[in-house]
Amino acid sequence: QVQLVESGGGLVQPGGSLRLSCAASGSIFSIGVMGWYRQGPGKQRELVATITNGGSPNYADSVKGRFTISRDNAKNTVHLQMNSLKPEDTAVYYCNVRRSISQYQWRDYWGQGTQVTVSS
């Protein structure tokens, strides 16, 4: 019902930068919080950053000060600017969009994931 297309992943050296993008399409009305999650090899999926409709961001401690999340509500897109990348940032990054169905009901949608590899 909601399709998310991610782009921007790749291989980068430590200290480098990448910019991830995610575009939502389909039943995109009532979209709420958007965010990015990641899952490294053998690890649980973890929160990287989220951003509210009004543009208020929240970051995991491990990326705070290095990553910046932003969104464009008119274009239904969310971005993650990643600077000063570390090998520990290596993971598959997933875009997440929450859509409100009713006052107390919502549904989460996930992108297919994009690989980010930080290595010399």
Side-chain angles (χ1 to χ4, degrees), residues 51-69:
I51 185 167
T52 67
N53 300 64
S56 180
N58 178 257
Y59 300 96
D61 289 339
S62 59
V63 306
K64 198 168 187 177
R66 300 187 297 120
F67 291 10
T68 302
I69 189 170

Side-chain angles (χ1 to χ4, degrees), residues 1 5 9 12-13 21 26 61 65 79 86 88 90 92 94 100-101 104-105 109 111-112 118:
Q1 196 170 12
V5 179
V12 66
Q13 294 184 348
S21 298
D61 289 339
H79 308 275
K86 304 175 181 179
E88 307 91 86
T90 296
V92 177
Y94 297 90
S100 177
I101 300 174
Y104 300 107
Q105 291 181 306
Y109 299 89
Q112 79 283 358
V118 184

Side-chain angles (χ1 to χ4, degrees), residues 26-48:
S27 300
I28 56 177
F29 56 90
S30 300
I31 285 180
V33 173
M34 306 178 77
W36 292 92
Y37 294 73
R38 68 187 182 187
Q39 187 169 18
K43 296 183 178 181
Q44 296 273 48
R45 185 174 298 185
E46 65 176 357
L47 169 72
V48 177

